[in-house]
Amino acid sequence: MFSVRNGWLFVEDVSVKELVESYGTPLYVTSRAALESNIEAYKEAFKDFPGKVRLLYAVKANNNLSILRIISSNGFGADVFSGGELYLALLGGFPREYILFNGNSKSDDEIRMGVRSAVPFSVDSIDELYTLSETAILEDSEVRIAFRVNPEIDAKTHPKIATALRTSKFGIPWEHIVDVYRTAYELPGVEPRGIHCHIGSQITDISPFVEALQKVFQIARQIEEIGVELEFIDIGGGLGIDYEGKGAESTPTPAQLAEKLLPVFEDGVSSLKSDPELWLEPGRSIVGNTTILLTKVNAVKKSYRNFVAVDAGFNLLLRPAMYSAYHRIVVANKMDREAEEVYTIAGPICESGDILGEDRKLPKVEKRDVIAIFDAGAYGFVMSSQYNGRTRCAEVLVEGSHHYLIREAESYGDLIAKQKIPEHLL
């Protein structure tokens, strides 16, 4: 999906040169072929279990509508974490019966929206449960729910994206979960039909997923005794990708995940009275490696380090600043040249932490060169901001030799689009 021709980086059959000339920089560019390949890898991994495995795309990873439409057209459901993501998922064409409304702090308005949209909920607290019950009664509805349990599993990932530690804000504690199901079973307006957990993101070891599924089946057997008939068991997503370019063996594949999970799932279901589906919520592993961020060099400065100042910063790609995350970086117009010097790639934001890559050995970098940052499809544009008065960039989809604008770049007018000035300040 990404190749080199005549010294230039290509996305499918389109050169970065053509893309930059057409749309400018900064610019997010997604390969549809890469996206379709990742989708197919999941479908192929679980194809022997038709009707038993449901794939729900984690909309938080990348919520561009064109990308959502491609994913939904492949039979995926969706995992959403807000009213806004629910709105996008519905526009994106996902079937509402397979849009799971997740989230640890849903507002009353969001709960009402979810009830009216007839989507299932992952409930995160007793307060949410009571509000959901009251809302369902007022709306004359019955809402299918799961509870998100915290299974207290260390997924061995970055602390900021580990979501099943005992100290996590997510989920209902393991020791309380059965009592919560008992309460829900007696409440009007809600129908407990599933159980949900999510242990973290960028996980490169499958064993925590296996441990989580085994723990969830322990709970499933207990809540069946209350009278709950389970329709689904959702163990979330979080499968990691190869950010460092170490090769295919460095991170597990969907096929390897399926190989480990499905025997545990089959064994667990055999111990139940009900016959639930297995739900999974891939996000990063669907979109992460599909996209590059292109950014132009404004200046090269020799200082304590060789700084390369570019026109994209953490306002567009927050992961390096927030998580100390590593992304591969290349000089897109000098792909046929040998690395000569060590550079630190710095963005234009007025923060010392606005560093996109430290100490990277690259060909000689000069003003107006084009830098490409790989694996920016997950938690890239979705986490962007207008900090420092920086407008957000365009997004482009490449399909073979064609490219399509799928999000316009913002203008300065967008910085004030929703602002109001009181009359006395005019």
Side-chain angles (χ1 to χ4, degrees), residues 7-74:
W8 277 90
L9 179 66
F10 271 65
V11 183
E12 299 189 26
D13 293 320
V14 181
S15 73
V16 162
K17 183 177 187 291
E18 181 179 343
L19 292 167
V20 169
E21 288 174 349
S22 299
Y23 305 103
T25 59
L27 181 68
Y28 274 101
V29 183
T30 295
S31 161
R32 178 165 184 170
L35 178 60
E36 296 276 12
S37 176
N38 292 340
I39 290 169
E40 189 57 35
Y42 268 97
K43 291 169 67 175
E44 180 71 17
F46 293 97
K47 69 177 183 179
D48 292 335
F49 289 79
K52 295 301 295 179
V53 177
R54 182 70 55 175
L55 299 169
L56 278 61
Y57 169 66
V59 173
K60 58 182 169 288
N62 187 321
N63 63 21
N64 184 283
L65 274 176
S66 296
I67 289 170
L68 296 183
R69 297 291 296 188
I70 293 169
I71 296 170
S72 69
S73 70
N74 278 275

Side-chain angles (χ1 to χ4, degrees), residues 41-334:
Y42 268 97
K43 291 169 67 175
E44 180 71 17
F46 293 97
K47 69 177 183 179
D48 292 335
F49 289 79
K52 295 301 295 179
V53 177
R54 182 70 55 175
L55 299 169
L56 278 61
Y57 169 66
V59 173
K60 58 182 169 288
N62 187 321
N63 63 21
N64 184 283
L65 274 176
S66 296
I67 289 170
L68 296 183
R69 297 291 296 188
I70 293 169
I71 296 170
S72 69
S73 70
N74 278 275
F76 278 58
D79 154 48
V80 302
F81 213 83
S82 69
E85 287 189 356
L86 172 56
Y87 171 75
L88 290 166
L90 292 169
L91 286 179
F94 294 96
R96 62 188 66 223
E97 65 269 28
Y98 295 114
I99 299 176
L100 183 66
F101 199 162
N102 195 1
N104 67 296
S105 183
K106 304 179 188 76
S107 69
D108 291 355
D109 286 344
E110 287 177 315
I111 288 173
R112 189 178 304 110
M113 178 184 179
V115 171
R116 290 177 176 175
S117 299
V119 299
F121 277 71
S122 174
V123 180
D124 200 86
S125 67
I126 284 288
D127 278 349
E128 182 187 339
L129 173 64
Y130 285 128
T131 303
L132 189 53
S133 172
E134 292 164 4
T135 305
I137 293 168
L138 289 172
E139 297 292 332
D140 193 25
S141 296
E142 288 283 338
V143 182
R144 294 161 63 225
I145 68 167
F147 285 101
R148 179 166 174 170
V149 61
N150 181 351
E152 298 178 19
I153 290 172
D154 185 356
K156 302 293 190 299
T157 187
H158 192 286
K160 290 183 180 178
I161 49 177
T163 58
L165 301 175
R166 187 170 184 81
T167 54
S168 174
K169 72 173 184 176
F170 300 105
I172 292 170
W174 169 264
E175 61 269 24
H176 300 158
I177 194 69
V178 175
D179 287 339
V180 172
Y181 271 96
R182 187 174 288 111
T183 300
Y185 189 70
E186 302 296 331
L187 278 179
V190 294
E191 297 180 347
R193 288 289 180 261
I195 185 165
H196 179 219
C197 76
H198 180 78
I199 60 175
S201 191
Q202 187 50 22
I203 300 168
T204 56
D205 177 5
I206 291 174
S207 58
F209 292 110
V210 173
E211 184 183 355
L213 185 56
Q214 290 168 334
K215 280 197 168 186
V216 166
F217 270 112
Q218 292 177 34
I219 298 169
R221 288 189 284 272
Q222 294 178 68
I223 63 178
E224 275 196 333
E225 296 304 315
I226 299 167
V228 173
E229 184 176 346
L230 289 169
E231 295 176 358
F232 64 91
I233 289 174
D234 185 338
I235 63 163
L239 195 66
I241 66 172
D242 177 21
Y243 280 106
E244 298 185 21
K246 292 180 177 178
E249 302 301 315
S250 64
T251 52
T253 65
Q256 291 167 332
L257 180 67
E259 181 184 7
K260 295 294 185 182
L261 285 184
L262 290 175
V264 177
F265 180 71
E266 285 188 301
D267 184 60
V269 169
S270 70
S271 69
L272 299 178
K273 303 170 188 174
S274 46
D275 188 26
E277 294 180 336
L278 175 64
W279 288 12
L280 300 168
E281 301 169 2
R284 187 190 311 270
S285 53
I286 295 289
V287 293
N289 67 357
T290 66
T291 303
I292 57 175
L293 174 59
L294 300 178
T295 178
K296 189 169 287 186
V297 176
N298 287 330
V300 180
K301 180 172 63 177
K302 290 188 179 293
S303 181
Y304 164 70
R305 288 172 167 166
N306 288 332
F307 285 105
V308 174
V310 296
D311 61 4
F314 73 52
N315 63 307
L316 292 179
L317 184 62
L318 184 59
R319 295 189 70 254
M322 187 170 184
Y323 306 121
S324 299
Y326 182 96
H327 286 259
R328 289 177 295 139
I329 292 175
V330 299
V331 184
N333 56 305
K334 295 178 178 177

